[in-house]
Amino acid sequence: MASSLRSLFTDHGRYVEAFRSFLGNSTEHQCMQEFMDTKLPDIIARIGDAKSEIKILSIGGGAGEIDLQILSKVQAQFPGVCINNEIVEPSAEQIAKYKELVANTSNLENIKFAWHKETSSEYQNRMMDKKEIQKWDFIHMIQMLYYVKDIPATVKFFHSLLATNAKILIILVSGSSSWKKLWEKYGSRLPRDDLCQYVTSSDLTQMLENLGIKYECYDLLSTMDITDCFINGNENGALLWDFLTETCNFCKTAPPDLKAEIMKDLQEPEFSVKKEGKVLFNNSLSFMVIEA
Ligand SMILES: C[S@@+](CC[C@H](N)C(=O)[O-])C[C@H]1O[C@@H](n2cnc3c(N)ncnc32)[C@H](O)[C@@H]1O
């Protein structure tokens, strides 16, 4: 059954559309902004100590909205210090959006930007071929580890690139979110390929412990408004279904029994709360901080 469904990641245009729809219907970026406002200043308090330039590496920076929030916190913490911000991002479309955002944002004068159109493993291979390994003061991997084949090896590699007082910030869906339940219950009936894997902060915690890497974890509540998913023929709802199930055109191509089961479940308290006529799916996020 799963084989007849097509993974959303095989259609990049549809994926980007579904992701935009998810962002518009969730508190994902607001939740991250709250973290950047309340927790990040303490986390980055020492990353630039005694440094003439602060080097930041963004892995899977997307269209740059969250990256710029991080940069503004670093600027506030270390006024006037030059920042070298490099971005590893395989999507040309996302890079173009990021460049446009930078061009339209003020107060970025002390920041140098460089984009590398490649995946994290391509970056890793490129660095391994170099004689001298570049070290970084802050590395972030925000909602992107799902797309990495060997997560422990990737985290271990980027951990080895940390300079003195440097940190890594990883943001992933929380093990307490409804994503975990959805994947556990329906993952075997949804399209699987090697482009994306079901991983939550609980899995990452286990991997970090196995690697002996110390971390701190903060969980924040975020919700995704999935009300449109229950309105027949609603195009936004169709995009949200694709995002939830990581399936291309789920509404049109899913077997009716599978769709009916997921539809019923998503309205249950185990997955969502109902508030002011809306159905809110639990999209809680985990913020994992790793030290050098
Ligand atoms: C869900 S988006 C998150 C974007 C951004 N960090 C945010 O939170 O808004 C995931 C991003 O990771 C990028 N990506 C996918 N596979 C990747 C890989 N193997 N290495 C680096 N980035 C990757 C995608 O192109 C996309 O921009």
Side-chain angles (χ1 to χ4, degrees):
M1 191 192 297
S3 59
S4 67
L5 297 177
R6 188 155 70 97
S7 163
L8 181 58
F9 304 101
T10 59
D11 181 343
H12 187 64
R14 179 85 184 167
Y15 166 71
V16 172
E17 231 188 314
F19 180 57
R20 286 279 131 202
S21 180
F22 161 72
L23 287 182
N25 287 270
S26 70
T27 59
E28 170 100 351
H29 276 182
Q30 290 86 333
C31 174
M32 291 182 190
Q33 169 91 58
E34 184 190 336
F35 179 85
M36 302 311 167
D37 287 343
T38 58
K39 302 274 187 224
L40 191 68
D42 277 349
I43 292 167
I44 57 169
R46 297 195 50 223
I47 62 166
D49 281 3
K51 292 171 188 166
S52 58
E53 184 186 60
I54 299 174
K55 294 186 174 66
I56 302 180
L57 185 62
S58 160
I59 311 293
E65 298 101 325
I66 304 300
D67 288 25
L68 292 199
Q69 286 177 22
I70 293 175
L71 288 167
S72 77
K73 300 297 173 200
V74 177
Q75 283 176 314
Q77 194 76 37
F78 302 98
V81 177
C82 289
I83 299 172
N84 176 19
N85 186 59
E86 295 198 19
I87 302 107
V88 172
E89 167 58 63
S91 159
E93 206 171 332
Q94 296 284 59
I95 292 179
K97 286 206 181 108
Y98 197 138
K99 288 183 176 172
E100 196 182 314
L101 183 66
V102 168
N104 293 319
T105 306
S106 50
N107 300 327
L108 300 177
E109 294 77 17
N110 63 325
I111 308 176
K112 273 190 290 173
F113 288 89
W115 288 266
H116 306 284
K117 190 187 164 309
E118 62 192 357
T119 63
S120 57
S121 59
E122 285 163 353
Y123 175 84
Q124 183 171 344
N125 292 339
R126 191 160 61 81
M127 288 305 120
M128 308 269 257
D129 287 344
K130 281 192 171 181
K131 279 202 194 88
E132 205 174 309
I133 295 265
Q134 159 91 64
K135 297 268 179 173
W136 299 90
D137 301 308
F138 194 59
I139 300 176
H140 54 85
M141 312 171 99
I142 301 181
Q143 292 289 49
M144 64 71 58
L145 272 183
Y146 318 101
Y147 314 111
V148 162
K149 272 204 187 89
D150 187 343
I151 297 176
T154 302
V155 173
K156 199 174 163 198
F157 169 72
F158 285 105
H159 186 248
S160 76
L161 301 188
L162 292 178
T164 318
N165 295 331
K167 296 200 175 159
I168 300 180
L169 171 65
I170 296 176
I171 307 183
L172 273 185
V173 293
S174 164
S176 67
S177 70
S178 295
W179 289 105
K180 185 173 167 73
K181 293 170 198 151
L182 185 68
W183 293 337
E184 275 172 2
K185 193 156 180 189
Y186 292 102
S188 63
R189 295 164 72 190
L190 293 170
R192 293 308 306 272
D193 51 39
D194 62 357
L195 300 172
C196 183
Q197 51 178 322
Y198 299 143
V199 56
T200 70
S201 60
S202 315
D203 306 306
L204 184 60
T205 299
Q206 194 55 58
M207 292 173 198
L208 292 173
E209 279 171 14
N210 292 346
L211 287 168
I213 293 179
K214 286 206 189 88
Y215 62 91
E216 272 183 78
C217 183
Y218 308 84
D219 263 32
L220 290 183
L221 177 66
S222 165
T223 55
M224 173 180 179
D225 181 351
I226 57 169
T227 319
D228 284 352
C229 290
F230 308 102
I231 304 171
N232 227 339
N234 184 293
E235 185 44 35
N236 187 49
L239 285 169
L240 294 174
W241 271 119
D242 285 14
F243 193 79
L244 280 164
T245 59
E246 294 170 5
T247 304
C248 202
N249 291 314
F250 179 79
C251 285
K252 288 190 187 139
T253 58
D257 61 329
L258 174 63
K259 191 176 168 199
E261 274 178 66
I262 304 188
M263 199 170 226
K264 182 172 175 297
D265 259 350
L266 289 186
Q267 298 184 72
E268 299 293 335
E270 193 192 350
F271 287 90
S272 305
V273 292
K274 290 191 177 158
K275 209 172 163 190
E276 294 157 5
K278 290 180 174 167
V279 185
L280 304 174
F281 180 84
N282 185 322
N283 178 57
S284 287
L285 300 177
S286 291
F287 299 77
M288 327 262 302
V289 179
I290 297 173
E291 294 192 14

